[in-house]
Amino acid sequence: MFKKAYEDRGLAPENLSRTLEDSGTVTSVLIPWNTCGAYQSGVLGVSVADYFVYAIFNYLSPIMTLIFAAFNIQIRRLLKK
């Protein structure tokens, strides 16, 4: 869905892949009504609210992604042809 937007801005596809991973995949366990949150909650035997405090990586990852983007850290560009 965002491939064209990244290309239009001269950003390499690796950026889109990393953004999706950093913001979507790792935060899914923090949402109790989706399969990841339900599974983790069931395996751990605690509610999502109970383990949320300890899931520092999961809620810090999207914040770090925004910081990296804002300061242009490790942002790959498309090679001009």
Side-chain angles (χ1 to χ4, degrees), residues 51-78:
Y51 72 75
F52 178 84
V53 201
Y54 304 102
I56 298 165
F57 171 76
N58 299 79
Y59 55 82
L60 194 59
S61 181
I63 295 168
M64 292 303 298
T65 300
L66 292 172
I67 291 171
F68 273 50
F71 291 103
N72 206 19
I73 301 169
Q74 294 292 318
I75 303 298
R76 296 191 188 265
R77 303 277 175 196
L78 289 174

Side-chain angles (χ1 to χ4, degrees), residues 9-68:
R9 287 167 178 78
L11 299 170
E14 297 89 46
N15 296 306
L16 176 57
S17 174
R18 187 180 70 204
T19 302
L20 291 173
E21 180 69 27
D22 291 350
S23 61
T25 306
V26 299
T27 58
S28 64
V29 298
L30 302 176
I31 302 169
W33 54 85
N34 77 11
T35 55
C36 292
Y39 177 77
Q40 296 298 330
S41 182
V43 167
L44 295 173
V46 297
S47 72
V48 173
D50 290 336
Y51 72 75
F52 178 84
V53 201
Y54 304 102
I56 298 165
F57 171 76
N58 299 79
Y59 55 82
L60 194 59
S61 181
I63 295 168
M64 292 303 298
T65 300
L66 292 172
I67 291 171
F68 273 50

